[in-house]
Amino acid sequence: MVTMSSWNSYQLNLKDDMISSSSLKHLRIPFSLFLMPIFFFALALTPNHNESRILWVFIALHLFLYPSSNGYNSYFDKDEESIGGLKHPPKVTKDLFWLSQVLFLLAIGIGASINFSVALMILIYGLVSMAYSHPAIRIKKYPWLSWFIAGFFQGYFTFAIAYAGLSNLSWEVLYKPHVFIPGLLTSLMLWGNYPLTQVYQHGEDARRGDRTLSLVLGIKGTFLFSALTFMVTGAGFAWFFLDRNQLDILWIYLAAMTPIMLYFLTWFSFIRLNPTKYANYNWAMGMNYFSALALNAFFIYYFLENTQIVQALGY
């Protein structure tokens, strides 16, 4: 006979075994939009297009690997204030840890279905991501190291994963100039933007003992550092397109960058007036959304243009 107490106990256990809405929110799947330009850049430069691989590489990165990383880091950070993609993050629950691991294994599995090297590269990315927030290592508490690693692995290394996966190539692409150079450019993009994503988290980072780069540089210093890095990035992309005799593409790139830079300069002008007031979540996410929409549109256009050129050449 089922009593009321046993039924309540059953409901409680069932609830504990299910994936909580909190965990689904902490995966921050829409946040993958901000890293999507790297995939489209790799796709634009990949000579071997295969519809199946395009789909599976996209799913592995944006629906499994990135959300896994987001969830895992949220589990150990236990943020109470705004984080990227969540203005009011809910409390984490224990199922978030296991959910992040399942997604990680699924990403590795997709990589293995392409080849061993892609699976290995996804594994390395995931382990580094775990080390970023795990209390035993917590790369996040080292300002320059965390800045370099985050930009390197979310940029260049992810570009190489996408390129290898899209073309069914081995890990040796990491050392090829045609992968290393554009991959480095994607890291430069992230090295410029990364400190801006930390500028509104100084209070919580300081209380937790995480000395992020933005915290070290200060609010105004963060903007000056990002402005310098953006200039280097722009010069790098200009050289890249001119070296490929793609002056028309360079003009489109500059047009795509214009609204991003206007937003950044507007935000910076407010920061100079009142750093504490305007170094907030809404402005930071606005910068991310402007960048993501403009760059995704540009790299999709670049992919379509490159595809037409390849077809015209008969390849």
Side-chain angles (χ1 to χ4, degrees):
M1 181 177 178
V2 179
T3 64
M4 183 60 68
S5 61
S6 64
W7 172 248
N8 290 338
S9 177
Y10 171 78
Q11 286 183 310
L12 181 61
N13 291 333
L14 182 61
K15 183 178 179 181
D16 289 339
D17 291 337
M18 293 173 64
I19 298 173
S20 66
S21 60
S22 165
S23 294
L24 293 176
K25 289 179 181 178
H26 275 289
L27 295 179
R28 290 175 279 164
I29 293 177
F31 199 70
S32 297
L33 174 72
F34 304 140
L35 295 174
M36 212 172 283
I38 298 163
F39 171 83
F40 287 121
F41 193 20
L43 181 62
L45 298 178
T46 301
N48 306 311
H49 293 137
N50 176 281
E51 291 82 358
S52 177
R53 286 199 300 268
I54 291 173
L55 176 63
W56 284 114
V57 172
F58 183 89
I59 290 174
L61 292 177
H62 297 93
L63 297 185
F64 294 152
L65 186 61
Y66 294 151
S68 168
S69 175
N70 294 337
Y72 187 92
N73 289 327
S74 285
Y75 178 79
F76 285 102
D77 286 345
K78 294 178 172 59
D79 294 284
E80 296 179 358
E81 299 178 10
S82 300
I83 56 177
L86 283 177
K87 188 171 185 178
H88 303 291
K91 289 187 177 181
V92 299
T93 53
K94 62 182 181 180
D95 59 293
L96 178 59
F97 175 85
W98 299 111
L99 178 59
S100 71
Q101 297 304 290
V102 169
L103 295 180
F104 184 33
L105 291 175
L106 288 171
I108 295 173
I110 292 176
S113 72
I114 299 173
N115 63 55
F116 174 79
S117 291
V118 175
L120 179 60
M121 293 167 72
I122 290 175
L123 173 64
I124 293 172
Y125 178 102
L127 293 177
V128 171
S129 176
M130 291 177 186
Y132 185 81
S133 289
H134 195 281
I137 303 174
R138 201 156 180 87
I139 296 172
K140 188 175 181 178
K141 66 183 179 182
Y142 304 105
W144 288 102
L145 181 62
S146 62
W147 167 79
F148 176 81
I149 286 179
F152 179 83
F153 278 92
Q154 291 185 341
Y156 161 70
F157 199 82
T158 299
F159 181 91
I161 293 174
Y163 195 96
L166 290 167
S167 292
N168 191 18
L169 299 174
S170 73
W171 58 268
E172 292 178 355
V173 299
L174 288 165
Y175 307 103
K176 302 294 183 180
H178 65 278
V179 172
F180 176 79
I181 292 173
L184 184 59
L185 290 175
T186 63
S187 282
L188 279 171
M189 288 194 306
L190 293 172
W191 281 327
N193 191 61
Y194 183 66
L196 295 175
T197 66
Q198 304 170 326
V199 77
Y200 62 91
Q201 298 174 318
H202 287 188
E204 187 161 27
D205 287 333
R207 288 193 297 272
R208 200 164 43 206
D210 293 330
R211 296 184 69 245
T212 62
L213 182 58
S214 181
L215 189 59
V216 170
L217 294 174
I219 295 175
K220 291 184 179 179
T222 296
F223 278 80
L224 291 172
F225 178 84
S226 292
L228 177 61
T229 310
F230 286 148
M231 286 190 288
V232 174
T233 304
F237 271 100
W239 169 83
F240 178 78
F241 294 128
L242 290 176
D243 185 63
R244 295 168 63 89
N245 295 317
Q246 295 178 319
L247 180 60
D248 55 333
I249 297 296
L250 174 58
W251 285 114
I252 300 297
Y253 168 76
L254 293 175
M257 290 299 296
T258 298
I260 302 173
M261 290 298 99
L262 288 175
Y263 185 98
F264 173 78
L265 292 174
T266 302
W267 187 15
F268 193 14
S269 67
F270 283 112
I271 287 292
R272 293 175 64 184
L273 295 174
N274 192 331
T276 304
K277 180 179 179 180
Y278 293 102
N280 59 42
Y281 173 87
N282 290 334
W283 274 99
M285 287 303 102
M287 180 72 188
N288 278 342
Y289 281 113
F290 260 91
S291 300
L293 293 175
L295 290 173
N296 277 317
F298 167 73
F299 285 121
I300 290 173
Y301 171 82
Y302 188 42
F303 160 65
L304 295 174
E305 282 294 302
N306 275 3
T307 303
Q308 291 176 4
I309 292 172
V310 170
Q311 290 174 347
L313 292 174
Y315 293 107

